[in-house]
Amino acid sequence: MNAPSPQPPVPGAVTIVTQTRVQPGFDDAFAVWQEQTSAMIAALPGFLGQTVMRPSPPAQVDWVILQRFANSAAAIGWLNSPERMARINGAQSMLVGRDDVHVVPDGSSGVLPAPVSAVISTRIKPGQEKAYRAWEQRIAAAQCKAPGFQGYRFEPPIPGVQEDWLSILRFDSEANLNAWLESPQRKMLLAEADAFTEEFHARVARAGFDQWFPEPDKGQPPQAVWKQNMLVLLMLYPVVFLFGFAVQSPLLVGRMGLSFPLALFIGNVASVLLLTYLVPWISRRFGWWLSPARPSTQVDWRGAAILAALYLVMIGVFIRVS
């Protein structure tokens, strides 16, 4: 899983946000399909980068793909291209329902930078746009006061690309997001919108490896995804190397004669199980860096430098060992 990482703003840049649901048992096949699609899109003019977030049940059951382009023309060109249509047609047998595809202009707040976000699509009855905009202002004012609220984006339809109005809500934790989504105040506001809403649904997207990290104390800012990624790498690298060096190659492949794909799968299972214990352990020891009492660039750089030094030490040791 690739977690979102901070990207510098590019004037005029846009991000295609795609959420799709895969049939049970087809995740591996869809992952291969997505890798092939990623290789194709990487060569397109104006393409800046991509983030793929795998499902994280029960909160996030969809795949979320963020594709960033230098401008809307490049993004819409990809969306309408025969190559993309052919790729989509080839994946239909793996998917459930219709994809949610939206084009969101870049801004200072980004697209999905928070630990958990809700992407809400709304289709409005013809002629009710003015009423919907007035209602949207009311619900925006209410949700800004919700505990854990971090940001909000509201995008109108783009003719020929998306018919729905799009809202992206960003919260510091899954608990706070769910509290707002299930709140009586929000349900009352949604009931008011029935008169001019044709279709409405929300999907949740989680970023990073939040399930392995403790939630910050009340009042503290959310943990940066790039810090979580660095700590996961610190634990993942030695686990993968040592398991492959001591177990996978000599025992599973050498002595037991298992095929490499099967031995690799066993190694991945072992790695995930070990990380379930190792990542919470290391996150407690780097709590001063993950959730500092007072955010500081100096603290951020100090922690990153320590982790970089640990990476280099491990690489040197493992070169000697191997």
Side-chain angles (χ1 to χ4, degrees):
M1 176 176 65
N2 298 328
S5 57
Q7 293 181 333
V10 175
V14 301
T15 298
I16 300 173
V17 182
T18 302
Q19 291 185 267
T20 188
R21 189 162 301 178
V22 177
Q23 293 192 43
F26 283 84
D27 279 314
D28 289 342
F30 183 79
V32 172
W33 177 91
Q34 182 59 51
E35 288 179 2
Q36 295 170 347
T37 305
S38 299
M40 175 186 295
I41 196 175
L44 294 178
F47 178 71
L48 299 178
Q50 175 174 270
T51 296
V52 178
M53 290 183 278
R54 285 174 169 264
S56 180
Q60 178 189 331
V61 296
D62 302 314
W63 287 70
V64 180
I65 300 99
L66 310 178
Q67 296 165 331
R68 195 161 176 253
F69 287 83
N71 51 62
S72 59
I76 294 172
W78 162 245
L79 287 176
N80 294 331
S81 67
E83 293 81 5
R84 178 178 177 274
M85 297 303 175
R87 295 294 301 166
I88 295 296
N89 290 336
Q92 285 302 317
S93 62
M94 297 184 282
L95 305 180
V96 178
R98 69 178 182 89
D99 289 354
D100 275 355
V101 181
H102 302 282
V103 179
V104 182
D106 274 14
S108 58
S109 58
V111 178
L112 291 176
V116 61
S117 303
V119 182
I120 301 173
S121 300
T122 307
R123 188 162 299 180
I124 304 303
K125 294 178 181 178
Q128 297 295 318
E129 290 79 9
K130 185 176 180 180
Y132 177 72
R133 281 186 175 274
W135 173 86
E136 186 69 29
Q137 292 176 2
R138 295 199 301 275
I139 196 171
Q143 65 200 11
C144 287
K145 301 175 183 176
F149 177 81
Q150 289 196 332
Y152 170 68
R153 290 189 68 120
F154 175 61
E155 300 293 340
I158 299 176
V161 179
Q162 65 189 39
E163 300 178 11
D164 301 339
W165 296 71
L166 176 68
S167 301
I168 299 178
L169 312 181
R170 301 187 299 277
F171 278 77
D172 63 355
S173 70
E174 187 177 320
N176 282 332
L177 173 62
N178 288 335
W180 164 247
L181 293 179
E182 299 299 326
S183 66
Q185 184 181 15
R186 181 174 180 271
K187 290 181 178 180
M188 182 178 66
L189 286 165
L190 291 179
E192 295 178 8
D194 287 342
F196 45 82
T197 300
E198 192 172 273
E199 184 180 342
F200 170 90
H201 57 96
R203 291 181 174 181
V204 174
R206 299 179 68 205
F209 303 94
D210 304 309
Q211 67 273 18
W212 286 334
F213 292 87
E215 288 193 8
D217 294 334
K218 188 174 182 180
Q220 285 188 320
Q223 297 165 357
V225 173
W226 67 271
K227 292 183 179 181
Q228 293 180 346
N229 291 344
M230 288 190 73
L231 289 177
V232 171
L233 178 59
L234 183 68
M235 294 291 96
L236 178 63
Y237 177 55
V239 167
V240 171
F241 176 85
L242 293 174
F243 188 89
F245 183 77
V247 179
Q248 182 174 308
S249 296
L251 179 61
L252 299 181
V253 177
R255 185 172 299 179
M256 298 179 63
L258 299 182
S259 64
F260 176 74
L262 179 57
L264 181 63
F265 176 79
I266 295 173
N268 287 340
V269 171
S271 298
V272 171
L273 292 176
L274 288 171
L275 289 180
T276 302
Y277 299 96
L278 291 175
V279 174
W281 175 82
I282 195 65
S283 67
R284 289 192 294 270
R285 280 141 186 84
F286 277 85
W288 60 271
W289 180 62
L290 272 174
S291 301
R294 303 180 69 177
S296 165
T297 302
Q298 185 178 3
V299 171
D300 291 346
W301 278 105
R302 187 186 308 147
I306 292 173
L307 290 177
L310 291 174
Y311 296 157
L312 292 174
V313 169
M314 286 191 297
I315 293 171
V317 170
F318 293 157
I319 288 175
R320 283 178 170 271
V321 169
S322 61

